[in-house]
Amino acid sequence: MTSILWLRRDLRRTDHPALVAAHDGAGAGGVLPVFVVDPTLTASAGPAHLEALHEALNGARASFDHAVERDEASRRYAASRG
């Protein structure tokens, strides 16, 4: 079963207790990280803050995508080794 990890403000992948719990509960289904932009937080944010958020989200996406690719490669390698 796939676990959903709702990222609110903490976009880090390392040392993230909720990510560990989601991963442990997901099994083979993996973890789907989700970030919802809260209009109440962004309404009062200036352009610099919004740009920083955009960059942080792109960095998090790349980090999570890389982890998924790495995990898939690890599974394929393990399967090929029998």
Side-chain angles (χ1 to χ4, degrees):
M1 173 171 56
T2 301
S3 290
I4 295 175
L5 174 63
W6 180 15
L7 300 168
R8 297 192 65 184
R9 293 179 184 221
D10 188 356
L11 300 176
R12 64 195 161 112
R13 241 192 58 226
T14 58
D15 188 31
H16 194 299
L19 176 58
V20 172
H23 185 270
D24 289 348
V31 177
L32 175 65
V34 176
F35 182 87
V36 179
V37 177
D38 184 349
T40 59
L41 295 176
T42 58
S44 62
H49 182 84
L50 293 175
E51 179 64 25
L53 175 61
H54 178 73
E55 289 178 14
L57 288 171
N58 281 337
R61 176 185 295 151
S63 176
F64 279 104
D65 285 348
H66 176 69
V68 169
E69 291 167 6
R70 186 186 68 236
D71 289 348
E72 179 61 25
S74 296
R75 280 193 292 273
R76 286 183 185 171
Y77 175 76
S80 74
R81 305 279 296 166

